[in-house]
Amino acid sequence: MARPEDPTARERILDAAHPLFYERGIRAVGMAEVVAAAGTGKQALYRHFPGKDELVLAYLERFAELLDASTARTLDGLEGADGLRALIRLVERRVGARGYAGCPFRNYLREMRDPRDRPGRFALRQVRALRRLVERYAAEAGVADPGALAEEVWLIVEGVYAGAPYPERRAMAAAAVGRVDALLI
Amino acid sequence: MARPEDPTARERILDAAHPLFYERGIRAVGMAEVVAAAGTGKQALYRHFPGKDELVLAYLERFAELLDASTARTLDGLEGADGLRALIRLVERRVGARGYAGCPFRNYLREMRDPRDRPGRFALRQVRALRRLVERYAAEAGVADPGALAEEVWLIVEGVYAGAPYPERRAMAAAAVGRVDALLI
DNA sequence: TCCATGACGGACCGATCGGTCCGAAATATG
DNA sequence: CATATTTCGGACCGATCGGTCCGTCATGGA
């Protein structure tokens, strides 16, 4: 080979695509811009990713790994009401972080109006995995109607994510923590 | 004139555009498709609307008139806690309706990732008008912290709208009614 | 030193979209 | 019937995007 094969090329591309896709949206960012930001050639990008869908899927998957790991760390060992309390605080912390631009999976689903492509199916799976987590904790919480509790907590979680783009997102997240705590008294 | 001026042409175009834009989204529907559905010519469309943005704005404005009128009818004469209770039930009724595809203003804002164009500003104004209504009712409700009550109700409203695309939207809306009622006991 | 390998950057292609223009048809007027 | 005017449908234009292709150049081994 003329140049040493760069095993980090794929990661470099994803590193470059990540902030572009997250901050400006998938549709607004063209492949040319990703290439320019990655400092690589178009050929290299299309060798690692057959098309834009695959690049978007990889972006979402890497995002999911990060979020899932952080979620697992935060909720480790918790169950029932404690799990729900910790979960809503985790969501609050995320939404309140500087530069937060919404849940990437919900962003993709809304930007594309319920896509059935692979990135869309993956994003939907991520959302529903969080919902199942809420249902599991609700089932362990020892309340009379776990299904109703899960529905109420989920409603609040969705409300926080929906409010993430607005200036009052921190107030909404704080209200969410208060509501979940009140539910679990 | 060769043919009689059709005063309803503008309405016919909007009638045709409405279900297309609402069910499939703004980006996914091209002007050619609107023309075909309206049964008119492209010239006629561009005579009534200088560009797609103006057509979209007119679509949102007409939608807003419909929703605002229905809202005013439903909430007529109510105030304070009664207003909030009636409002969340109105949202529940809307989200539960057959063929409901989400709040058109939130749909536009998400599909376009916070647009600053005229349709985007109008959509944001509609959303914030509903929020101000919640704040007004909360202020009249005679609670210790009206701001916190408004935040909590708003969180629930946003949660219902965010859950509108999911199959469990009716359960979420029902949970929302229960939560607001519980807040106001 | 020379050459083979492969990456880089950009030109290029086809499709799509918003928006404009033009020929044809249809109608009102003399 | 003839003509002027207006409308309709579609061809057309320019821009943009995803994706491919190619000329050039850097690099490392024989």
Side-chain angles (χ1 to χ4, degrees):
Chain A
M1 302 181 194
R3 287 188 184 178
E5 175 67 25
D6 187 356
T8 70
R10 182 187 163 97
E11 290 306 310
R12 284 221 329 277
I13 293 169
L14 283 175
D15 286 341
H18 184 106
L20 294 174
F21 282 160
Y22 183 59
E23 289 161 22
R24 309 222 326 264
I26 308 296
R27 301 191 84 123
V29 176
M31 295 295 265
E33 197 171 354
V34 173
V35 164
T40 177
K42 260 194 170 187
Q43 303 255 28
L45 193 159
Y46 279 98
R47 189 153 358 102
H48 288 285
F49 305 98
K52 189 174 185 178
D53 269 13
E54 284 78 9
L55 175 62
V56 171
L57 178 61
Y59 152 72
L60 291 178
E61 284 175 341
R62 217 179 55 158
F63 218 139
E65 279 178 34
L66 261 154
L67 294 177
D68 287 350
S70 145
T71 302
R73 262 197 315 275
T74 302
L75 304 182
D76 181 50
L78 300 179
E79 56 181 31
D82 289 338
L84 291 176
R85 276 186 281 259
L87 193 146
I88 194 64
R89 281 172 174 75
L90 173 63
V91 173
E92 180 196 28
R93 185 154 48 84
R94 282 182 186 160
V95 169
R98 271 188 311 109
Y100 190 72
C103 164
F105 315 117
R106 289 166 176 83
N107 285 353
Y108 184 78
L109 291 170
R110 292 295 172 271
E111 196 179 349
M112 303 298 185
R113 296 273 307 207
D114 267 317
R116 299 183 191 284
D117 50 24
R118 293 194 63 210
R121 292 199 303 271
F122 178 78
L124 188 57
R125 239 181 299 149
Q126 285 296 119
V127 172
R128 305 203 77 85
L130 187 63
R131 172 161 174 114
R132 280 199 308 276
L133 193 59
V134 168
E135 287 168 352
R136 210 193 70 201
Y137 284 142
E140 301 164 349
V143 297
D145 191 344
L149 175 61
E151 207 73 67
E152 287 159 346
V153 172
W154 183 245
L155 176 72
I156 291 168
V157 168
E158 284 288 348
V160 174
Y161 279 125
Y166 300 111
E168 57 264 29
R169 61 186 185 184
R170 285 193 174 85
M172 286 180 71
V177 171
R179 289 323 301 157
V180 170
D181 284 350
L183 275 174
L184 296 172
I185 285 174
Chain B
M1 302 184 194
R3 289 188 182 178
E5 175 66 25
D6 186 356
T8 69
R10 182 188 162 98
E11 289 306 310
R12 284 220 329 278
I13 293 168
L14 283 174
D15 286 341
H18 183 106
L20 295 174
F21 282 160
Y22 184 58
E23 289 161 21
R24 311 222 323 266
I26 308 295
R27 301 191 85 123
V29 175
M31 295 296 265
E33 197 171 353
V34 174
V35 164
T40 177
K42 261 194 169 185
Q43 302 256 30
L45 193 159
Y46 279 99
R47 188 148 2 103
H48 287 284
F49 305 97
K52 189 175 186 179
D53 268 13
E54 284 78 9
L55 175 62
V56 171
L57 178 61
Y59 152 72
L60 291 178
E61 284 175 340
R62 217 179 56 158
F63 219 138
E65 279 179 34
L66 262 155
L67 294 177
D68 287 350
S70 145
T71 302
R73 263 196 315 276
T74 302
L75 304 182
D76 180 50
L78 300 180
E79 57 182 29
D82 288 339
L84 291 177
R85 276 187 281 260
L87 193 146
I88 194 65
R89 280 171 175 76
L90 173 63
V91 174
E92 179 196 28
R93 186 154 48 83
R94 282 182 186 160
V95 170
R98 271 187 313 109
Y100 190 72
C103 164
F105 314 117
R106 288 167 176 81
N107 285 353
Y108 184 77
L109 291 170
R110 293 294 172 273
E111 196 178 349
M112 303 299 185
R113 295 274 308 208
D114 267 316
R116 300 183 190 283
D117 50 25
R118 293 195 62 211
R121 291 199 303 269
F122 178 79
L124 189 57
R125 237 181 301 151
Q126 285 296 120
V127 172
R128 306 203 77 86
L130 187 63
R131 174 163 172 113
R132 280 199 307 274
L133 192 60
V134 168
E135 288 169 352
R136 211 193 68 200
Y137 284 141
E140 301 164 347
V143 296
D145 190 343
L149 175 61
E151 206 74 66
E152 286 160 347
V153 172
W154 184 245
L155 175 73
I156 291 168
V157 169
E158 284 287 349
V160 174
Y161 279 125
Y166 301 110
E168 57 264 29
R169 60 185 187 188
R170 285 193 174 84
M172 286 180 71
V177 171
R179 289 323 301 157
V180 169
D181 285 349
L183 275 174
L184 296 172
I185 284 175

